[in-house]
Amino acid sequence: MRRRTLVALGATALVVGALSLTPAIGQGPKTGGVLNVMLREDLAQGFATHETATVATSTPSLPCFSNLVFFDPAKKTESLDTVIGELAEKWSWQDNYKNLVFFLRKDVKWHDGKPFTSKDVKYTFDMVRESPEATAKLRINPRKDWYANVEHIEAPDPYTVVFRLKRPQPSLLLMLASGYSPIYAAHIPPANYRTTCVGTGPFKVKEWRKGEFIEYVKNPDFYIKGRPYLDGLRYVVIVERGTRTAALQSGQLDVAFPGETGRTAMEQLKKAVPSMVFQQVAQNVSDNIIMNTKKPPFDNPKVRLAVSYAIDRRGLIQAAHQGGAVLGAAMLPKPYGVWGMLEKDLLALPGYGKPDEMKAQAKKLLAEAGITAQNPLKVEVGVRAIAIYLDMASFVVNELKQVGIEGTLKQVETAQWHPMATRGDYQMGANLTGLGTDDPDANFYENYACGSPRNYSQYCSEEVMKMFERQSQELDPKKRAAMVVDIQKKLEQDAPRPILAQRLDYYAHWAHVKGLVAHNNVYNFSRFQDVWKDK
C-alpha cells in the first residue's frame, strides 16, 4: 500500500537505469584471464570506503562493491546525463526535487549469499549521515556533510527506498553515483570492511596480503548476466614510483593506477612500448595549500592571501608536472568538467597574474602583517609521504622562500595524514584534494563547509554557507553555474585553501586490455566488469 501511494504521487522525472551496463567497447569480448593492476601503496583503511578520503583505498575497493547508481563506464566526462543504475533499476524525483525514490533490483545477492534489500541502503546512508536511527557508526566519516540535507530515509518495502530532503537538491543523485558511495551490507559490522569485503560487485576478494597484493575472483552470482569477462584481478603493491613504471613497461602489470602516469612517465613508456595505450584525462584532483585558519599566523587573512599570491601556478605546472596539469580554481574546468572557471576569469584571482607582480603583492601583504626579512615567517609544511605530493611540495617551499617564508617539509604517512589534517594538528600543508564527483555540492560541503571533517583549514563563513545553500537548490542550470563561479572567486579571495593546479593523467595500459575507458575523475571508473583481455 505504501509503495502504491508513493508511485501515485506522480513521478516528476522517472529515470530507467541501465538493466545491464554499457557493452564493452569495440570488438567482441573474450572471457577469462586475470588483469594485473598497479597499486601505489597498501590500503590504509582496508576496504572501508566510507571511512577513507583517498583513492588508494577507494579505487582498489571498487570491484567489490555496487552503488545505487554509478557513472556510465563508457563515457569519460561525468554528469547527470551519464548516471546509470546499478542496484537501482530506476528512480524518480518527486515534490520538486525534495523526494528521491529508488526502485531496486530483485536479483542481487551479497558475496556471502544473503539477499540484498532496501534495508541495506537505509542502513548504509543512515550510518553515513549519522542519523539518530543509525544502527552502526563509522570510525571516521569524511563525507557526512554530503548528506546533511537528507531529513529521513524510508524503506517501505524490500525493493523501494525513499530519500526525503529538507529542501530541493538535484545534486544528491551525483553524490550517490560517486565511487565513494557504495552500499554496505546491513548484516556486516562496518569495522569488518577494514580487513575484508562483502559486497555485491563483479569481483569477490579472495586474499589481501598486506603490503603485497589483493587478489579478486569473478563473482559467479553477479546480477549482470555475462559479466564480468575476466576471471580475476590482481592488484600488486609497488611503492617506489620508478619500479612500478618499470613493472608496467615490462608487462608484469597490464594497467596503471589512476592518476599515476604523469607526462614524463608517459613519454618514457611510449618510447619503450610504442603500442602502449594512453588516455589523457583529468583526475579531478587539485594541488592546493591548506592553512589552519584557527592558528597564527594563518588566522590572519593577509598572510593566507600572501601565500596564494606567492605561488606561480604556471611555473608549478611546468616544473612539477612537465605540463601535465591545467589552471583551475575549486571546480574542474572545461572540457574536463562542468563547473570550472574560464581562464580569463582566473587571471583576476590571486596568484594567476605575472609572477613578479604576484610576489611583490605577497611581500606587501606580509609586511602589513609584520612579516619582513628581519622578522621572517618560519613554518612547517606538512605533506603526505608519497611521490605525487612531494614533487608539488618542493616547488611550493621554494616559491615561499622567495617572499620571505621559510618552509620546512614534514613528511607524514598516508594512514596519519587525513586524521592529522582533520584534527587541525598542523600549520600549513601541501595538499591534494580529489572530488568524488564533479559537482559543487560535493566539493563545497565536503571541503569548505563549517564543521566538515574534510574542511582541513577549519574555514567557516556564514556568508559563504548561504551562497552554498542558494546554489544547491537552484534548479536553473545557468543561474546555478553563475552562482558557482561567484563562490569560487570568494573562496580564492578568502584563501583558506588556495588552488594551484588541476592535474591531468595519461592513464596507461597495454593494447590487449579492452573495454576500459578512463574518466575525468580517478574515483569512478575501475569497477572492471566490462574489461577483457585480447590475448
Coordinates of all heavy atoms in Angstrom, one line a residue, residues 441-501:
D441 N 28.1 20.8 -4.9 CA 27.7 20.4 -3.5 C 28.7 19.5 -2.9 O 29.1 19.6 -1.7 CB 26.3 19.7 -3.6 CG 25.2 20.7 -3.6 OD1 25.4 21.9 -3.9 OD2 24.0 20.3 -3.4
A442 N 29.2 18.5 -3.7 CA 30.1 17.5 -3.1 C 31.4 18.2 -2.7 O 32.0 17.9 -1.6 CB 30.4 16.5 -4.2
N443 N 31.9 19.2 -3.5 CA 33.1 19.9 -3.1 C 32.9 20.9 -2.0 O 33.6 20.9 -1.0 CB 33.6 20.6 -4.4 CG 35.0 21.3 -4.2 OD1 35.6 21.1 -3.1 ND2 35.4 22.0 -5.1
F444 N 31.9 21.8 -2.1 CA 31.7 22.9 -1.2 C 31.4 22.3 0.2 O 32.0 22.8 1.2 CB 30.7 23.8 -1.6 CG 31.0 24.5 -2.9 CD1 30.0 25.1 -3.7 CD2 32.3 24.7 -3.4 CE1 30.3 25.7 -4.9 CE2 32.6 25.3 -4.5 CZ 31.6 25.8 -5.3
Y445 N 30.4 21.4 0.3 CA 30.0 20.9 1.6 C 31.1 20.1 2.3 O 31.2 20.0 3.5 CB 28.7 20.2 1.6 CG 27.5 21.2 1.4 CD1 26.8 21.2 0.2 CD2 27.2 22.1 2.4 CE1 25.8 22.1 0.0 CE2 26.1 23.0 2.2 CZ 25.4 23.0 1.0 OH 24.4 23.9 0.9
E446 N 31.9 19.3 1.4 CA 32.9 18.5 2.0 C 34.2 19.3 2.4 O 34.7 19.0 3.5 CB 33.3 17.4 0.9 CG 34.4 16.5 1.4 CD 34.8 15.5 0.3 OE1 34.0 15.3 -0.6 OE2 35.9 14.9 0.4
N447 N 34.6 20.2 1.6 CA 35.9 20.9 1.8 C 35.9 22.3 2.4 O 36.9 22.8 2.8 CB 36.7 20.8 0.5 CG 37.0 19.4 0.0 OD1 37.6 18.7 0.8 ND2 36.5 19.1 -1.2
Y448 N 34.7 22.9 2.4 CA 34.7 24.3 2.8 C 33.6 24.6 3.8 O 33.5 25.7 4.4 CB 34.5 25.3 1.6 CG 35.6 25.2 0.6 CD1 35.5 24.3 -0.5 CD2 36.8 25.9 0.7 CE1 36.5 24.3 -1.5 CE2 37.8 25.8 -0.2 CZ 37.6 25.0 -1.3 OH 38.6 24.9 -2.3
A449 N 32.7 23.7 4.1 CA 31.5 24.0 5.0 C 32.0 24.0 6.5 O 32.8 23.2 6.9 CB 30.4 22.9 4.8
C450 N 31.4 24.9 7.2 CA 31.7 24.9 8.7 C 31.5 23.6 9.3 O 30.4 23.0 9.2 CB 30.7 26.0 9.3 SG 30.8 27.6 8.7
G451 N 32.5 23.1 10.0 CA 32.4 21.9 10.8 C 32.6 20.6 10.0 O 32.6 19.5 10.6
S452 N 32.8 20.6 8.7 CA 33.0 19.4 7.9 C 34.3 18.8 8.3 O 35.4 19.4 8.4 CB 33.0 19.7 6.4 OG 33.5 18.5 5.7
P453 N 34.4 17.4 8.5 CA 35.7 16.8 8.8 C 36.7 17.0 7.7 O 37.9 16.9 8.1 CB 35.3 15.3 8.9 CG 33.8 15.3 9.1 CD 33.3 16.5 8.4
R454 N 36.3 17.2 6.5 CA 37.3 17.4 5.4 C 37.7 18.8 5.2 O 38.4 19.1 4.3 CB 36.8 16.7 4.1 CG 36.8 15.2 4.2 CD 38.1 14.7 3.6 NE 38.0 14.7 2.1 CZ 39.1 14.7 1.3 NH1 40.3 14.6 1.9 NH2 38.9 14.7 0.0
N455 N 37.1 19.7 6.0 CA 37.4 21.1 5.9 C 38.7 21.3 6.7 O 38.7 21.8 7.8 CB 36.3 22.0 6.4 CG 36.5 23.5 6.3 OD1 37.6 23.9 5.9 ND2 35.6 24.2 6.7
Y456 N 39.8 20.9 6.1 CA 41.1 20.8 6.9 C 41.5 22.2 7.3 O 42.3 22.3 8.3 CB 42.2 20.2 6.0 CG 41.9 18.8 5.6 CD1 42.4 18.2 4.4 CD2 41.2 17.9 6.5 CE1 42.2 16.9 4.1 CE2 41.0 16.6 6.1 CZ 41.5 16.1 4.9 OH 41.2 14.8 4.6
S457 N 41.2 23.3 6.6 CA 41.6 24.6 7.0 C 40.7 25.2 8.2 O 41.0 26.2 8.7 CB 41.5 25.6 5.8 OG 42.4 25.2 4.8
Q458 N 39.6 24.5 8.5 CA 38.7 24.9 9.5 C 38.1 26.3 9.2 O 37.8 27.0 10.1 CB 39.3 24.8 10.9 CG 39.8 23.4 11.2 CD 40.3 23.1 12.6 OE1 39.7 23.6 13.5 NE2 41.3 22.4 12.8
Y459 N 38.0 26.6 8.0 CA 37.4 27.8 7.5 C 35.9 27.8 7.7 O 35.3 26.7 7.6 CB 37.7 27.9 6.0 CG 37.0 28.9 5.2 CD1 37.3 30.3 5.3 CD2 35.9 28.6 4.3 CE1 36.6 31.2 4.5 CE2 35.3 29.5 3.5 CZ 35.6 30.8 3.6 OH 35.0 31.8 2.8
C460 N 35.3 28.9 8.1 CA 33.9 29.0 8.4 C 33.4 30.4 8.1 O 33.8 31.3 8.8 CB 33.6 28.5 9.8 SG 31.8 28.5 10.2
S461 N 32.5 30.5 7.2 CA 31.9 31.8 6.8 C 30.4 31.7 6.6 O 30.0 30.9 5.8 CB 32.6 32.3 5.5 OG 31.8 33.4 5.0
E462 N 29.7 32.4 7.4 CA 28.2 32.3 7.3 C 27.8 32.8 6.0 O 26.8 32.3 5.4 CB 27.6 33.2 8.4 CG 27.7 32.6 9.8 CD 26.9 33.4 10.8 OE1 26.0 34.2 10.4 OE2 27.1 33.2 12.0
E463 N 28.4 33.9 5.5 CA 28.1 34.4 4.1 C 28.3 33.3 3.1 O 27.4 33.1 2.2 CB 29.0 35.6 3.8 CG 28.8 36.1 2.4 CD 29.9 37.1 2.0 OE1 30.8 37.4 2.9 OE2 29.9 37.6 0.9
V464 N 29.4 32.6 3.1 CA 29.7 31.6 2.1 C 28.7 30.4 2.3 O 28.3 29.8 1.3 CB 31.1 31.1 2.2 CG1 31.4 29.9 1.3 CG2 32.1 32.3 1.8
M465 N 28.4 30.0 3.5 CA 27.4 28.9 3.7 C 26.1 29.3 3.0 O 25.4 28.4 2.5 CB 27.2 28.7 5.2 CG 28.4 28.0 5.9 SD 28.9 26.4 5.2 CE 27.5 25.4 5.8
K466 N 25.7 30.5 3.1 CA 24.4 30.9 2.5 C 24.5 30.8 1.0 O 23.6 30.5 0.3 CB 24.0 32.3 2.9 CG 23.6 32.4 4.4 CD 23.3 33.9 4.8 CE 22.9 33.9 6.3 NZ 22.7 35.3 6.7
M467 N 25.7 31.2 0.5 CA 25.9 31.1 -1.0 C 25.9 29.6 -1.4 O 25.3 29.2 -2.5 CB 27.3 31.7 -1.4 CG 27.4 33.2 -1.1 SD 29.1 33.8 -1.3 CE 29.2 33.8 -3.1
F468 N 26.5 28.7 -0.6 CA 26.4 27.3 -0.9 C 24.9 26.8 -1.0 O 24.6 26.1 -1.9 CB 27.1 26.4 0.2 CG 28.6 26.6 0.3 CD1 29.2 26.1 1.4 CD2 29.3 27.2 -0.7 CE1 30.6 26.2 1.5 CE2 30.7 27.3 -0.6 CZ 31.3 26.8 0.5
E469 N 24.1 27.2 0.0 CA 22.7 26.7 0.0 C 21.9 27.3 -1.2 O 21.1 26.5 -1.7 CB 22.1 27.1 1.3 CG 20.7 26.5 1.5 CD 20.3 26.6 3.0 OE1 21.1 26.5 3.9 OE2 19.0 26.7 3.2
R470 N 22.2 28.5 -1.5 CA 21.4 29.1 -2.7 C 21.7 28.3 -4.0 O 20.8 28.0 -4.7 CB 21.7 30.6 -2.8 CG 21.0 31.4 -1.8 CD 21.0 32.9 -2.2 NE 22.4 33.5 -2.2 CZ 23.0 34.1 -1.1 NH1 22.3 34.2 0.0 NH2 24.2 34.6 -1.2
Q471 N 23.0 28.1 -4.2 CA 23.3 27.4 -5.5 C 22.8 25.9 -5.5 O 22.4 25.4 -6.5 CB 24.8 27.4 -5.8 CG 25.7 26.7 -4.8 CD 25.8 25.2 -5.0 OE1 25.7 24.7 -6.1 NE2 26.0 24.5 -3.9
S472 N 22.8 25.3 -4.3 CA 22.5 23.9 -4.2 C 21.0 23.7 -4.6 O 20.7 22.6 -5.2 CB 22.7 23.4 -2.7 OG 22.3 22.1 -2.6
Q473 N 20.1 24.6 -4.2 CA 18.7 24.4 -4.5 C 18.2 25.1 -5.8 O 17.0 25.1 -6.1 CB 17.8 24.8 -3.3 CG 18.0 26.2 -2.9 CD 17.3 26.4 -1.5 OE1 16.2 25.9 -1.3 NE2 17.9 27.1 -0.6
E474 N 19.2 25.7 -6.5 CA 18.8 26.4 -7.8 C 18.6 25.4 -8.9 O 19.5 24.6 -9.2 CB 19.9 27.4 -8.2 CG 19.7 28.1 -9.5 CD 18.3 28.8 -9.5 OE1 18.1 29.7 -8.7 OE2 17.5 28.4 -10.4
L475 N 17.4 25.4 -9.5 CA 17.1 24.3 -10.5 C 17.4 24.8 -11.9 O 17.5 24.0 -12.8 CB 15.6 24.0 -10.4 CG 15.2 23.5 -9.0 CD1 13.7 23.1 -9.0 CD2 16.0 22.3 -8.5
D476 N 17.7 26.1 -12.1 CA 18.1 26.6 -13.4 C 19.6 26.4 -13.6 O 20.4 27.1 -12.9 CB 17.7 28.0 -13.5 CG 18.0 28.6 -14.9 OD1 19.1 28.2 -15.5 OD2 17.2 29.4 -15.4
P477 N 20.1 25.5 -14.5 CA 21.5 25.3 -14.6 C 22.3 26.5 -14.9 O 23.4 26.6 -14.3 CB 21.6 24.3 -15.8 CG 20.2 23.7 -15.8 CD 19.3 24.7 -15.4
K478 N 21.9 27.4 -15.7 CA 22.6 28.6 -16.0 C 22.8 29.5 -14.8 O 23.9 30.1 -14.5 CB 22.0 29.4 -17.1 CG 22.1 28.7 -18.5 CD 21.6 29.6 -19.6 CE 21.8 28.9 -21.0 NZ 21.3 29.7 -22.1
K479 N 21.7 29.7 -14.0 CA 21.8 30.5 -12.8 C 22.7 29.9 -11.8 O 23.5 30.5 -11.1 CB 20.4 30.7 -12.2 CG 19.5 31.6 -13.0 CD 18.1 31.8 -12.4 CE 17.2 32.7 -13.2 NZ 15.8 32.8 -12.6
R480 N 22.6 28.6 -11.7 CA 23.4 27.9 -10.7 C 24.9 28.0 -11.1 O 25.8 28.2 -10.3 CB 23.0 26.4 -10.6 CG 23.8 25.7 -9.5 CD 23.5 24.2 -9.4 NE 24.2 23.6 -8.3 CZ 24.6 22.3 -8.2 NH1 24.2 21.5 -9.2 NH2 25.2 21.9 -7.2
A481 N 25.2 27.9 -12.4 CA 26.6 28.0 -12.9 C 27.2 29.3 -12.5 O 28.4 29.4 -12.1 CB 26.7 27.7 -14.4
A482 N 26.4 30.4 -12.7 CA 26.9 31.7 -12.3 C 27.2 31.9 -10.8 O 28.2 32.4 -10.4 CB 25.9 32.8 -12.8
M483 N 26.3 31.3 -10.0 CA 26.5 31.3 -8.6 C 27.8 30.5 -8.2 O 28.5 30.9 -7.3 CB 25.3 30.6 -7.9 CG 24.0 31.4 -8.0 SD 22.6 30.5 -7.2 CE 21.3 31.6 -7.4
V484 N 28.0 29.4 -8.9 CA 29.2 28.6 -8.5 C 30.5 29.3 -8.9 O 31.5 29.3 -8.1 CB 29.1 27.2 -9.3 CG1 30.4 26.5 -9.2 CG2 27.9 26.4 -8.7
V485 N 30.5 30.1 -9.9 CA 31.6 30.9 -10.3 C 31.9 32.0 -9.2 O 33.0 32.2 -8.7 CB 31.5 31.6 -11.7 CG1 32.5 32.7 -11.9 CG2 31.5 30.6 -12.8
D486 N 30.8 32.6 -8.7 CA 31.0 33.6 -7.7 C 31.6 33.0 -6.4 O 32.4 33.6 -5.7 CB 29.6 34.3 -7.4 CG 29.2 35.2 -8.5 OD1 30.0 35.6 -9.3 OD2 28.0 35.5 -8.5
I487 N 31.1 31.8 -6.1 CA 31.6 31.1 -4.9 C 33.1 30.8 -5.0 O 33.9 31.0 -4.1 CB 30.8 29.8 -4.6 CG1 29.4 30.2 -4.2 CG2 31.5 29.0 -3.5 CD1 28.5 29.0 -4.1
Q488 N 33.5 30.3 -6.2 CA 34.9 30.0 -6.4 C 35.8 31.3 -6.3 O 36.9 31.2 -5.7 CB 35.1 29.4 -7.8 CG 34.5 28.0 -8.0 CD 34.7 27.5 -9.3 OE1 35.8 26.9 -9.6 NE2 33.7 27.6 -10.2
K489 N 35.3 32.4 -6.8 CA 36.1 33.7 -6.6 C 36.2 34.0 -5.1 O 37.3 34.4 -4.7 CB 35.4 34.8 -7.4 CG 35.4 34.7 -8.9 CD 34.6 35.8 -9.5 CE 34.6 35.7 -11.0 NZ 33.8 36.8 -11.7
K490 N 35.1 33.9 -4.4 CA 35.1 34.2 -3.0 C 36.1 33.3 -2.2 O 36.8 33.8 -1.3 CB 33.7 34.1 -2.4 CG 33.5 34.3 -0.9 CD 33.8 35.7 -0.5 CE 33.5 35.9 1.0 NZ 34.1 37.2 1.5
L491 N 36.1 32.1 -2.5 CA 37.0 31.1 -1.8 C 38.4 31.5 -2.1 O 39.3 31.4 -1.2 CB 36.7 29.7 -2.2 CG 35.3 29.1 -1.8 CD1 35.1 27.8 -2.4 CD2 35.2 29.1 -0.3
E492 N 38.8 31.9 -3.3 CA 40.2 32.2 -3.6 C 40.5 33.5 -2.9 O 41.7 33.7 -2.5 CB 40.4 32.3 -5.1 CG 40.3 30.9 -5.8 CD 41.2 29.9 -5.3 OE1 42.4 30.2 -5.1 OE2 40.7 28.8 -4.9
Q493 N 39.6 34.4 -2.8 CA 39.9 35.7 -2.1 C 40.1 35.5 -0.6 O 40.9 36.1 0.0 CB 38.8 36.7 -2.4 CG 38.8 37.2 -3.8 CD 40.0 38.1 -4.2 OE1 40.7 38.6 -3.3 NE2 40.2 38.3 -5.5
D494 N 39.3 34.6 0.0 CA 39.5 34.3 1.4 C 40.7 33.4 1.7 O 41.2 33.4 2.8 CB 38.2 33.6 2.0 CG 37.0 34.6 2.1 OD1 37.3 35.8 1.8 OD2 35.9 34.2 2.5
A495 N 41.1 32.6 0.7 CA 42.3 31.8 0.7 C 42.5 30.9 1.9 O 43.6 30.8 2.4 CB 43.5 32.8 0.6
P496 N 41.5 30.1 2.2 CA 41.7 29.1 3.2 C 42.4 27.8 2.6 O 43.1 27.1 3.3 CB 40.3 28.7 3.7 CG 39.5 28.9 2.5 CD 40.0 30.1 1.8
R497 N 42.2 27.7 1.3 CA 42.8 26.5 0.6 C 43.0 27.0 -0.9 O 42.3 26.5 -1.8 CB 41.8 25.3 0.6 CG 42.3 24.0 0.0 CD 41.2 23.0 -0.1 NE 40.6 22.6 1.2 CZ 40.5 21.3 1.5 NH1 41.0 20.3 0.8 NH2 39.9 21.0 2.7
P498 N 44.0 27.8 -1.1 CA 44.3 28.2 -2.5 C 44.5 27.1 -3.4 O 45.3 26.2 -3.1 CB 45.5 29.1 -2.4 CG 45.6 29.5 -0.9 CD 45.0 28.4 -0.2
I499 N 43.8 27.1 -4.6 CA 44.0 26.0 -5.6 C 45.2 26.4 -6.5 O 45.2 27.5 -7.0 CB 42.8 25.8 -6.4 CG1 41.6 25.5 -5.4 CG2 43.0 24.6 -7.4 CD1 41.7 24.3 -4.6
L500 N 46.1 25.5 -6.7 CA 47.3 25.8 -7.5 C 47.2 25.2 -9.0 O 47.7 25.8 -9.9 CB 48.5 25.2 -6.9 CG 48.7 25.6 -5.4 CD1 50.0 25.0 -4.9 CD2 48.8 27.1 -5.2
A501 N 46.6 24.1 -9.1 CA 46.5 23.4 -10.5 C 45.5 22.3 -10.4 O 45.3 21.7 -9.3 CB 47.9 22.9 -10.9

